[in-house]
Amino acid sequence: MKFFQIFTLLSLPVVMLTSCGNDDDNPSGNSFSLPVDAAGNTILSQNISTGAVEALPGANYGLKGDLDNGVLTLTINDLQYDSQKNAISFTLPAARLSITQGSFSVDQAGDVSVALSNGAVTVSDLLIKFALQTNGTQKLVQLSYTIDHTYKITTVFNSNIFVGTTTTTDLTSPETKPFTSQEPMYNVVLDRKNKTAQLQIAYAKFLPAMPSLGVMYFDKIPVEYTADGFTFSINEVVPSINNTPYPDFKVANISGTVVAGKTLKLTFECARFNRKVSFEGTAY
C-alpha cells in the first residue's frame, strides 16, 4: 500500500512485526519477538494523586508473543517513572493476547506484583495494541500501564502515524459543501529533548483538483504534554517538500491533539486558498 511504502522510504522510526498465520482470527504456528529501543519513545508519567505529568526518557521494551497459546510476555528495562527515583527493570508474567480483526492486543486490568532487585512494584491496567498494516504486518501503536496505583504510564513513540478523514471548508463561503478525502496520511514526529513536533503529510488532498505532491513537512512546532499524549500548535509555518520551502503556501493556526496510540485531531488554515483543513483519524 502506498501509505506504508512512503513512510518506510523516509526511514521513520516505526515498530513492526509480521503475522504469518493461516487465518487472521485463528493464527497457528507463530511467535514473535519485538524489541523497542528507548531512543524511539518517551515516557509520560502522570501522578494520579496530584495530576502532575512528567515527560521522561524512553524505556527499553521487549515483547514476546506466542500465538499458539495466545499469550504475550513484556519485559521493561530502564523505566524511569519519576524523575526523583531510580529507573527500574522487570518482566511481567505472560498476559492474554487477543486477536480481533487481525490486530493483536493485550488488555489486563488486574494487579500483578513483580520483584525488583531491591523490592517490588505492582503493575496494573496494562494495555498493548497493534495496528494491522495493509501489507499484513503488525505495528505497535499503544503501550500503557500503571505503577503502584500511583503513576499512570503512557508510552509515546517518536513516530505517530494516523489515517482518517480530511475535511476542507471554504472560509469565505462557509455554506459551501466541504470537500472530504481519506487519501492524506499524517505523521507527527515527536522530539522530546527540544519539546517540538514535526508534522508530515503524505498524499495531501485538500481540494478536488489539487496536484500530487511529495511529503509535506511542517517543522519545529511547539509541544505541550498531556496525561495521555501531547498537543502541538503554532501561529504560522512554511511547509517544505523535498527540502524546498514554499513560503507562498504557508499555513496558519496549526493546532493538533495526539492521544497516544489512539487518535489525532488537527486543524490548520491555508491563507492562499482561504481554506480551513480539519483532520480526525486513528493510529495506524
Side-chain angles (χ1 to χ4, degrees), residues 29 55 59 66-67 95 104 122 131 136 180 187 201 203 239 254:
D66 179 347
L67 302 186
F104 302 161
T122 298
T180 62
N187 186 26
I201 307 176
Y203 307 103
I254 290 182

Side-chain angles (χ1 to χ4, degrees), residues 4-161:
F4 176 83
Q5 290 173 345
I6 193 167
F7 283 117
T8 300
L9 291 172
L10 290 170
S11 300
L12 297 182
V14 296
V15 183
M16 295 171 294
L17 56 90
T18 301
S19 170
C20 302
N22 297 321
D23 182 274
D24 282 342
D25 293 309
N26 295 287
S28 61
N30 291 295
S31 64
F32 63 82
S33 180
L34 177 64
V36 180
D37 191 87
N41 68 86
T42 293
I43 296 297
L44 296 182
S45 179
Q46 181 190 32
N47 187 307
I48 296 173
S49 298
T50 66
V53 176
E54 287 190 291
L56 300 167
N60 290 299
Y61 293 106
L63 296 86
K64 292 185 178 181
D66 179 347
L67 302 186
D68 289 334
N69 294 304
V71 295
L72 181 145
T73 302
L74 174 65
T75 297
I76 304 176
N77 289 317
D78 308 311
L79 169 68
Q80 187 174 20
Y81 61 92
D82 186 318
S83 59
Q84 304 303 310
K85 298 179 183 293
N86 293 328
I88 60 174
S89 300
F90 55 88
T91 297
L92 290 170
R96 180 65 183 171
L97 178 65
S98 299
I99 305 173
T100 304
Q101 296 181 340
S103 294
F104 302 161
S105 66
V106 171
D107 189 348
Q108 182 173 276
D111 292 354
V112 177
S113 180
V114 291
L116 305 176
S117 58
N118 58 347
V121 295
T122 298
V123 179
S124 57
D125 305 317
L126 176 64
L127 185 61
I128 302 172
K129 288 189 176 181
F130 293 79
L132 179 65
Q133 308 292 286
T134 54
N135 67 348
T137 61
Q138 302 270 346
K139 184 161 76 73
L140 179 64
V141 295
Q142 187 174 6
L143 177 49
S144 62
Y145 45 92
T146 301
I147 298 291
D148 287 337
H149 302 290
T150 302
Y151 299 92
K152 176 187 173 185
I153 306 300
T154 299
T155 307
V156 181
F157 299 107
N158 291 359
S159 175
N160 302 273
I161 299 175

